[in-house]
Amino acid sequence: MSYFPGIKDEDFIRGDIPMTKQEVRILVLTKAKICPTDTIIDIGAGTGSLSIEAALQASSGKVYAIERHPEGAQLIRSNAIHFGADNIEVISGSAPEALQGLPIADVIFIGGSGGHLQELLAQSNSLLKPNGRLVITAITIETLYDALHSMQAKPEFTVEAFGMQVTRIKQVKSSNMLQALNPIYIIICTKGI
């Protein structure tokens, strides 16, 4: 099976767990600059949509998908089998505790913090290689503010951020309807040497 970034949302096995949408995944993956041998940690992996695409890009690397909800962890496993991504290790547990014992990473995604953002940012700093990328997706103003405030205060990081709003167009009979997705903010933090 050929892989191209931006797998359709409907191709994933889904449950009641939130999923990073296709358009967001494309931008996050672009900013993460994943190489084939990279080690990636996905904190708050949800259904595993981002973990799956990261694993397919890092075909000779490894993805550690951390998810605290048992249903989400099972969905990640099912999606990994569905897409043939056998380089994913699912860690069922809450971060930051679930980060213990993980190797140094090239890329870390934070998609959910469970109220532990500051601890996750500190732990991510110690787990990230020089030139590594930390990519945070925020759906709340508080997460956006806290992540920017914390990471911009660290001189070893270069920080960029942007917000995006996606509106899909769906054909309904002879008309086209606009369907807005929730706005999201993406913070990219690149660690210096």
Side-chain angles (χ1 to χ4, degrees):
M1 169 170 88
S2 295
Y3 166 71
F4 300 97
I7 297 169
K8 291 181 181 178
D9 292 345
E10 56 268 19
D11 289 348
F12 287 94
I13 301 165
R14 307 242 340 242
D16 292 327
I17 301 296
M19 183 177 88
T20 304
K21 302 297 189 284
Q22 178 189 42
E23 297 85 354
V24 176
R25 283 195 312 275
I26 290 169
L27 284 174
V28 167
L29 291 164
T30 299
K31 293 295 188 177
K33 299 177 184 175
I34 295 171
C35 295
T37 58
D38 278 355
T39 298
I40 299 146
I41 300 171
D42 186 5
I43 302 169
T47 60
S49 63
L50 190 55
S51 294
I52 298 298
E53 295 222 43
L56 294 173
Q57 287 188 2
S59 55
S60 298
K62 181 85 171 181
V63 175
Y64 296 90
I66 299 168
E67 177 52 48
R68 64 184 173 152
H69 297 289
E71 179 189 359
Q74 186 53 50
L75 284 168
I76 298 166
R77 289 183 188 96
S78 298
N79 277 311
I81 292 167
H82 178 70
F83 288 102
D86 57 2
N87 56 337
I88 293 179
E89 182 177 327
V90 179
I91 299 171
S92 188
S94 295
E97 297 80 19
L99 296 171
Q100 299 303 315
L102 291 184
I104 301 299
D106 299 282
V107 176
I108 299 176
F109 298 120
I110 299 179
S113 66
H116 301 284
L117 182 62
Q118 294 306 318
E119 296 95 326
L120 294 180
L121 294 175
Q123 194 81 348
S124 294
N125 189 2
S126 63
L127 282 172
L128 201 59
K129 290 180 182 176
N131 292 318
R133 283 86 52 213
L134 169 62
V135 183
I136 306 156
T137 52
I139 59 172
T140 69
I141 298 298
E142 291 77 14
T143 300
L144 173 63
Y145 173 81
D146 289 345
L148 281 173
H149 185 72
S150 292
M151 296 311 294
Q152 288 173 339
K154 297 182 186 309
E156 68 270 29
F157 282 91
T158 301
V159 179
E160 73 172 287
F162 62 91
M164 65 178 290
Q165 170 66 58
V166 174
T167 302
R168 293 178 175 169
I169 299 173
K170 180 180 178 184
Q171 186 174 2
V172 180
K173 297 184 182 176
S174 63
S175 298
N176 291 291
M177 185 172 79
L178 302 175
Q179 292 184 316
L181 301 180
N182 291 330
I184 190 161
Y185 297 89
I186 301 173
I187 303 111
I188 306 96
C189 311
T190 305
K191 191 173 186 177
I193 296 176

